[in-house]
Every structure is written in C-alpha cells, then in structure tokens.
Amino acid sequence: MKIHIQQLDNTYSDQLIDLILTIQQKEFNVPITIEDQPDLKQIESFYMEPGGNFWGAFIDGELVGSIALVKFDEGVGAVRKMFVKKEFRGKELNIAQELLEVLVSFCQENGIDSIYLGTVTILKAVIRFYERNHFVEVEKENLPAFFPLMSADNVFYYLNLKQNHTV
C-alpha cells in the first residue's frame, strides 16, 4: 500500500469530518460534535491563513489519516486533528509517524520552534506515540496564554524543536 500525504483545503472538509467524527464518537465515545469543531469547515481560514497547515494521508484515494498545525503565536504551534483510521494504524504502515514528520518539517521550514498539543488520557496509544517522539507532558496551567484549548482535552504535551531536531 502506497501512502500519499498532501496538504488539505476546504474541499476536503466533508471527508475530514467523516474520518474524524467517526473516530471520536464511535471508536472512543468522546462526546464531541461537528458544532464543537467548526474549524473542520474552515480549514483555510482557521489553519492556513494564520501560518499553520492541514495534511491528509491517502491510500488508493481514500483519506485514512490527518494532522493539522494551528500557529497561535510567534514561533509557536499546536498539533490538532491527528487521526488515523483504525484499520490503517500501527508500525506496519507508520502513517501517524509520517504525518507527524511532515508537520515537524513544516514547522522547521517556517520558524516554528515550539509545538504543543492536547489529548485525552483514555488514548493510551496516542500518549505513548507522542512520548516516543520526544513530547514532554506539561501541566495545563503552564500552557501558553493563547493555546487553543479543546474542551475534551485533559493531558498536554510540548516539543521544543530547537532541542529535538528530528522526531
């Protein structure tokens, strides 16, 4: 299976909503709706215009994974919308790793040295993945003032790209 990662824009909103809501609601029972995530209908204005980006992983034309970067301060961004369809997860295809590497490369090319993210404690594999990639847990009260909090998130991580040159 050949994985193709590309930048996404508003034309991919419906595919992204289908991918992300299915994982959030059906797989992990996270009580979140599309109304809680209006950014998925505003990819260009929410992610790209402020200096971030949104990427999708495709296999045979099917969107199977996503990752986004919100630039919320000078040199600072937040990882958002990191999802991979269940049947495409794992080390065999390594989609999550490839998506994260695309995001980190974008950050390095665009002067973003600090990356933050929020997730939920029930996502044990997600937490292990970020820790393997040198993200360090940070207390909620130590997040930057402008960090875009998601209501469901209850555990937070930080990666300093000046110290960790590669993931």
Side-chain angles (χ1 to χ4, degrees):
M1 276 190 252
K2 175 91 175 83
I3 301 159
H4 171 69
I5 296 178
Q6 70 180 56
Q7 180 178 307
L8 302 181
D9 58 24
N10 291 342
T11 61
Y12 291 93
S13 287
D14 290 343
Q15 290 177 64
L16 277 168
I17 290 166
D18 183 52
L19 169 79
I20 292 170
L21 282 181
T22 300
I23 294 169
Q24 289 171 326
Q25 295 173 346
K26 295 193 172 86
E27 188 178 346
F28 291 106
N29 298 309
V30 176
I32 194 166
T33 66
I34 185 56
E35 287 74 28
D36 298 320
Q37 307 172 84
D39 55 296
L40 290 175
K41 293 182 177 176
Q42 306 159 356
I43 294 167
E44 292 161 31
S45 60
F46 189 88
Y47 292 96
M48 294 169 180
E49 287 171 18
N53 215 325
F54 211 121
W55 299 270
F58 292 83
I59 293 179
D60 297 329
E62 178 188 1
L63 181 64
V64 298
S66 68
I67 194 168
L69 177 78
V70 176
K71 183 178 178 191
F72 65 90
D73 208 344
E74 197 57 44
V76 187
V79 176
R80 279 281 189 75
K81 308 303 179 196
M82 169 68 126
F83 292 98
V84 177
K85 276 190 178 178
K86 190 174 194 169
E87 58 270 32
F88 295 97
R89 288 185 200 143
K91 286 188 174 27
E92 186 182 324
L93 292 173
N94 230 10
I95 293 171
Q97 189 67 43
E98 286 196 35
L99 285 165
L100 183 61
E101 287 171 10
V102 166
L103 181 142
V104 167
S105 292
F106 177 88
C107 289
Q108 291 168 327
E109 291 162 14
N110 290 279
I112 298 171
D113 298 322
S114 300
I115 308 173
Y116 290 85
L117 65 91
T119 188
V120 286
T121 49
I122 58 165
L123 304 180
K124 303 290 187 214
V126 170
I127 290 170
R128 283 192 307 272
F129 170 78
Y130 286 121
E131 289 175 349
R132 268 197 320 274
N133 281 285
H134 312 292
F135 280 81
V136 178
E137 190 171 350
V138 60
E139 294 300 319
K140 184 177 182 180
E141 49 274 6
N142 294 331
L143 290 169
F146 299 111
F147 179 78
L149 276 171
M150 293 290 293
S151 57
D153 291 344
N154 62 6
V155 60
F156 303 92
Y157 283 85
Y158 166 71
L159 178 67
N160 181 333
L161 291 177
K162 286 182 179 170
Q163 292 175 337
N164 301 294
H165 300 291
T166 56
V167 290

